[in-house]
Amino acid sequence: MVAVLDVADVSKRYGAKLVVDKVSLAVSTGECLGIIGPNGAGKTTLFNLLDGSAQSDSGTVNVAGEDISRWPQYRRARLGVGRAYQVPRPFTGLTVYENVLAGIEHSPVAGARPGRRALEVLEKVGLADKRNMIAGRLPLLDRKRLELAKAVSVGSKVLLLDEVAGGLTEGEVFELVEMVIQLKREHAVLWIEHIAHALMAAADRLLVLHFGAKLIEGAPQEVMSAPIVKEVYLGISVDDAAGA
Amino acid sequence: MSTFLRSGLALPALGLAVVAAALILLPIDRRLAMEVLLVLAMAQGWNLLCGYTGLLSFGHHAFVGLGAYVLFMTVNTTGLSPAWSILAAALVALVVGLGMWALLRKLRGPYFSIGIWVLADSLRLLFAQWEWVGSSRGIVLNPMSIDASTFADTVFYLALGLALVTVLGVFALLRSRTGLALMAIRDNEAGAASVGIAVARNQLAAFLISAVVCAAAGAIYYLSVLYVDPSGAFDIDWQIRVLFIVIVGGLGSIEGPIIGIVIYFGLRELFRDAGDLFLIFQGLTAFLVPLIMPGGIWGLIQSRTGWQLFPTRRIAQ
């Protein structure tokens, strides 16, 4: 399958600190790539380089065969890069429906009936009943749902999910995982998440970032049980663990 | 007709028609009404920029003065009628606005506010030195260009026309795709870019519209005075007045500036013969309203009741 998102050797430096170090990855539609790594490993910065909220110093980002490495964020969004932020960014004064409509009306594939499309998107994330509610008054889970809906609204091919399960209860996390699995059918999904079991349930592959560089990438079980991952994550040295 | 009723346009259209008819038919002070209408247009224009795109301008008096001067120079040098010269004022404001944007576009927050203020004051200094436009003495409108018998009515109707066009234009804009983009930028600029909204382009559009409206209003106001000088036309008091009106009435809505206008001119007329009392009450209002009602008066009403006199909401079927 041809990868809809193809990233080659992207790097980003802030002053003397190399935050993202020659990361390459590829994700196809129907696939979810989980991204983990300690705090400060450069996960969110990597997303910033993909969606254009920051520009990479080197390397290329390809979406659907188009080199978008130098494109501004809004053009990347219109081409199909959707992002759900760690801290949701709802349009607080607009209704839930308008929040989604904004993206749809700015999509190149808006179609003749943007209103209907908005309702379809809201249906998918379970917000159809609250469509005329003011977004600023939504509780946390619904804000997370809306964040997903907004990421999808522009007609995304690629979905970047940044810790969308953070702060949710167990039951809510389960609902969210179901949603991501549904969204995966039509999107290439990249998911940064600290809640391991949520990620394991949805991800087809895992990628570990460490000091901005790719440490390891592979099947979720393999990656989680790799000694080097335990060392980085838990701070256990492989030798000590073996000795004990 | 029924779709018109359901579209939510009937009430505002009727309201504006009644207000316009009252202004035309009732024996009101047309000079005061003209000023109210012009400041309303300025406030709506400024609010489109500052209430929606988050760019707080402290320098829109630049366009008031510019509009006034362009009208005077056009009338005096080309002999074009004052009414048509308003278009020249709007056009020059558009071009100068583009130039100012080129200088300001990288500035954000207080840097933008102060930057445009500096540009406005630079324009005042430039016009005060520029001999061709009368330097600090100012210029008098060529008296041959007007018909004294109908002049008062002419400027009143020009002001009424500008106010109506501005309010209805802003209303129509806010109900369009661009309006949705502007409201999204108002609520979350970074979030707007992530759903495909070209933030900078929308900000530029709002900036140019506000510039043109303020220039046209300035042109009509100084036309009515028949005389323009740099210290009056580029007076920051124009900007402060608009700032007061929009902040007190409520930023980021069409209703807010209308309420602000009523309060500003209400206070001013109430204390007309009481000297500095007006300034004291204006200051108190400017201080207390944001303290008690952070979203302005309309913001409070809106959050309590959900009312919309100018419905810009998209309702899901």
Side-chain angles (χ1 to χ4, degrees):
Chain A
M1 200 188 296
V2 181
V4 68
L5 172 71
D6 196 343
V7 180
D9 290 325
V10 288
S11 295
K12 180 69 179 177
R13 187 182 285 281
Y14 285 116
K17 191 168 158 51
L18 194 57
V19 187
V20 174
D21 185 5
K22 289 200 169 171
V23 172
S24 298
L25 54 87
V27 190
S28 308
T29 306
E31 201 184 13
C32 174
L33 174 69
I35 298 174
I36 59 173
N39 287 328
K43 303 183 295 290
T44 296
T45 307
L46 175 64
F47 271 15
N48 291 344
L49 302 182
L50 301 186
D51 85 346
S53 44
Q55 296 285 338
S56 58
D57 297 328
S58 59
T60 56
V61 179
N62 271 277
V63 168
E66 204 78 66
D67 181 357
I68 60 167
S69 312
R70 292 281 158 264
W71 288 22
Q73 189 177 8
Y74 79 90
R75 281 190 65 199
R76 296 192 195 196
R78 289 182 187 182
L79 181 73
V81 182
R83 164 110 176 241
Y85 288 88
Q86 189 174 359
V87 178
R89 295 178 171 179
F91 306 128
T92 44
L94 300 183
T95 64
V96 167
Y97 171 74
E98 288 171 320
N99 266 263
V100 177
L101 199 61
I104 290 171
E105 291 201 346
H106 286 84
S107 159
V109 289
R113 312 188 68 170
R116 172 165 294 188
R117 168 106 182 92
L119 290 179
E120 281 169 14
V121 171
L122 289 175
E123 203 75 56
K124 273 186 200 159
V125 300
L127 275 179
D129 293 345
K130 298 181 177 165
R131 58 186 180 269
N132 286 326
M133 240 176 103
I134 301 293
R137 299 197 182 135
L138 290 178
L140 182 66
L141 176 64
D142 287 340
R143 281 181 184 233
K144 298 264 180 180
R145 290 177 199 266
L146 181 59
E147 195 64 13
L148 278 182
K150 276 172 60 208
V152 174
S153 66
V154 221
S156 307
K157 301 180 175 80
V158 177
L159 273 184
L160 308 174
L161 311 181
D162 195 349
E163 295 199 29
V164 283
L168 299 183
T169 65
E170 272 303 300
E172 290 171 343
V173 169
F174 181 75
E175 276 183 58
L176 194 84
V177 167
E178 284 304 308
M179 258 180 263
V180 173
I181 291 172
Q182 291 298 316
L183 290 171
K184 201 166 78 169
R185 292 181 182 171
E186 294 169 357
H187 300 87
V189 179
L190 282 81
W191 189 2
I192 296 174
E193 193 55 76
H194 279 306
I195 301 173
H197 70 86
L199 202 54
M200 298 295 279
D204 303 289
R205 277 181 297 139
L206 280 188
L207 184 156
V208 183
L209 272 187
H210 187 47
F211 289 121
K214 181 155 78 172
L215 188 73
I216 184 172
E217 183 183 351
Q221 293 300 340
E222 259 169 57
V223 169
M224 290 308 261
S225 55
I228 193 162
V229 174
K230 289 190 175 157
E231 188 175 324
V232 164
Y233 248 90
L234 306 172
I236 317 170
S237 141
V238 180
D239 297 337
D240 288 355
Chain B
M1 187 64 202
S2 71
T3 45
F4 178 68
L5 282 173
R6 266 188 283 123
S7 68
L9 292 171
L11 199 65
L14 186 71
L16 287 179
V18 169
V19 170
L23 287 174
I24 293 169
L25 299 175
L26 296 178
I28 50 160
D29 176 355
R30 285 200 163 180
R31 167 115 215 113
L32 176 65
M34 177 207 70
E35 195 186 345
V36 171
L37 290 165
L38 292 176
V39 177
L40 174 65
M42 288 181 199
Q44 291 292 353
W46 187 84
N47 179 45
L48 190 69
L49 176 71
C50 304
Y52 290 95
T53 72
L55 291 173
L56 189 63
S57 165
F58 289 165
H60 265 54
H61 49 302
F63 300 112
V64 176
L66 197 65
Y69 268 98
V70 173
L71 178 127
F72 276 62
M73 293 313 291
T74 310
V75 170
N76 286 5
T77 59
T78 70
L80 205 63
S81 81
W84 284 108
S85 300
I86 296 170
L87 289 180
L91 198 67
V92 172
L94 195 72
V95 174
V96 173
L98 270 172
M100 285 168 82
W101 186 258
L103 295 170
L104 296 167
R105 67 192 199 90
K106 293 286 177 199
L107 302 181
R108 283 293 173 272
Y111 300 98
F112 176 86
S113 309
I114 304 291
I116 190 167
W117 184 355
V118 169
L119 289 181
D121 273 14
S122 305
L123 275 180
R124 177 173 56 82
L125 295 172
L126 172 74
F127 276 81
Q129 297 296 321
W130 193 359
E131 204 49 51
W132 186 60
V133 298
S135 65
S136 59
R137 298 182 312 278
I139 19 176
V140 177
L141 193 76
N142 177 7
M144 304 303 285
S145 66
I146 59 165
D147 178 351
S149 61
T150 58
F151 185 64
D153 282 344
T154 305
V155 287
F156 168 75
Y157 282 112
L158 284 173
L160 181 62
L162 179 68
L164 283 176
V165 166
T166 306
V167 172
L168 285 172
V170 168
F171 184 40
L173 185 73
L174 288 178
R175 289 170 62 96
S176 73
R177 184 181 91 144
T178 307
L180 204 53
L182 290 174
M183 288 185 274
I185 296 169
R186 172 194 68 191
D187 289 347
N188 198 321
E189 190 175 322
S194 79
V195 297
I197 293 168
V199 174
R201 202 184 302 162
N202 280 289
Q203 284 174 327
L204 172 60
F207 182 73
L208 293 178
I209 292 170
S210 66
V212 164
V213 169
C214 285
I220 296 169
Y221 181 83
Y222 283 95
L223 169 65
S224 79
V225 187
L226 300 171
Y227 166 72
V228 63
D229 73 333
S231 60
F234 290 101
D235 190 347
I236 195 169
D237 193 51
W238 283 112
Q239 175 62 75
I240 294 170
R241 211 183 287 188
V242 165
L243 190 71
F244 172 87
I245 286 163
V246 178
I247 302 285
V248 167
L251 208 59
S253 66
I254 298 177
E255 294 89 344
I258 294 176
I259 291 180
I261 285 278
V262 173
I263 291 177
Y264 175 82
F265 283 97
L267 279 176
R268 202 179 82 176
E269 292 309 302
L270 199 64
F271 296 114
R272 186 161 41 175
D273 304 316
D276 288 344
L277 262 185
F278 165 61
L279 289 176
I280 292 170
F281 274 88
Q282 191 191 359
L284 269 178
T285 314
F287 180 74
L288 289 177
V289 170
L291 203 65
I292 303 166
M293 300 171 262
I297 293 170
W298 182 253
L300 184 77
I301 297 174
Q302 234 277 313
S303 69
R304 290 280 165 85
T305 62
W307 288 347
Q308 290 194 68
L309 300 180
F310 292 88
T312 52
R313 278 232 181 288
R314 310 286 196 91
I315 305 296
Q317 301 305 315

